[in-house]
């Protein structure tokens, strides 16, 4: 089968996108591509001998540790409602912040005439899904967390 990294390189070239590439060897060779698209930074991971890639829209937003319960709730709600995009968060203990990320899978096929448009659509859709996640997070009442709400 064609190498997914080779197909992704062709896609990125066709979108006139510059990228940085890092390949790790081992049991499962992994190639990471970092690039910008419409002012958003993306990371794509390709496993050797696998048609599916993972598109990451990392660090699309940050919030403070105090919002952890709300972020957990928003991630759960978002992930239940979305069939393709998934939300995740990481902790930055030095800055006392939560970093928010989106992840979506995408299947690469060689010779698919629509693939460039589909790939660009997924990248563009990442911005809309990030907006939707932020809206869901902002719509959670400020006293959602039991630790900050006073009960009766």
């Amino acid at each position: 089968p064609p190498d997914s990294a080779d197909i992704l390189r062709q896609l990125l070239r066709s979108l006139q996108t510059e990228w940085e590439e890092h390949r790790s060897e081992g049991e499962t060779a992994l190639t990471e591509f970092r690039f910008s698209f419409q002012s958003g930074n993306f990371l794509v991971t390709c496993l050797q001998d696998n048609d599916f890639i993972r598109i990451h829209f990392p660090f699309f937003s940050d919030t403070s540790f105090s919002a952890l319960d709300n972020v957990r709730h928003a991630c759960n709600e978002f992930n239940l409602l979305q069939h393709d995009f998934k939300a995740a968060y990481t902790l930055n203990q030095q800055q006392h912040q939560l970093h928010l990320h989106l992840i979506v899978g995408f299947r690469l096929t060689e010779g698919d005439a629509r693939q460039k448009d589909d790939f660009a659509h997924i990248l563009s859709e990442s911005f809309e899904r990030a907006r939707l996640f932020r809206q869901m997070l902002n719509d959670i009442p400020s006293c959602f967390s039991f630790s900050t709400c006073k009960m009766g």
Side-chain angles (χ1 to χ4, degrees):
D3 184 25
S4 58
D6 289 337
I7 297 171
L8 183 59
R9 284 183 202 97
Q10 292 171 6
L11 274 177
L12 293 173
R13 269 188 221 103
S14 71
L15 293 172
Q16 299 178 352
T17 302
E18 294 181 12
W19 68 90
E20 293 179 14
E21 187 175 327
H22 176 74
R23 183 172 177 89
S24 62
E25 300 296 335
E27 268 185 49
T28 56
L30 174 77
T31 307
E32 294 182 339
F33 293 81
R34 294 181 185 275
F35 60 93
S36 292
F37 179 81
Q38 295 180 356
S39 301
N41 295 316
F42 289 86
L43 166 69
V44 174
T45 56
C46 302
L47 285 172
Q48 184 176 338
D49 300 326
N50 193 329
D51 293 345
F52 287 89
I53 61 172
R54 291 199 122 181
I55 302 169
H56 302 256
F57 187 22
F59 304 100
F60 72 83
S61 192
D62 299 312
T63 190
S64 70
F65 270 179
S66 63
L68 180 59
D69 287 338
N70 288 5
V71 167
R72 286 180 176 158
H73 178 75
C75 280
N76 289 339
E77 194 75 18
F78 182 90
N79 292 340
L80 285 172
L81 294 173
Q82 302 298 312
H83 69 281
D84 45 8
F85 282 82
K86 298 301 173 199
Y89 63 93
T90 53
L91 307 172
N92 182 325
Q93 294 187 0
Q94 287 81 18
Q95 296 178 349
H96 301 286
Q97 285 194 316
L98 302 169
H99 302 298
L100 305 175
H101 319 279
L102 291 178
I103 304 164
V104 62
F106 186 79
R107 184 167 187 240
L108 294 175
T109 55
E110 194 171 41
D112 183 348
R114 295 181 342 196
Q115 188 161 238
K116 175 186 170 188
D117 292 336
D118 291 345
F119 184 70
H121 175 75
I122 287 286
L123 297 177
S124 296
E125 187 65 21
S126 298
F127 297 105
E128 177 57 25
R129 301 296 174 95
R131 186 201 61 75
L132 176 64
F133 182 89
R134 284 191 293 267
Q135 179 182 337
M136 291 173 76
L137 181 60
N138 290 335
D139 287 348
I140 297 172
S142 60
C143 76
F144 172 75
S145 167
F146 291 114
S147 62
T148 58
C149 286
K150 298 200 175 179
M151 304 302 279

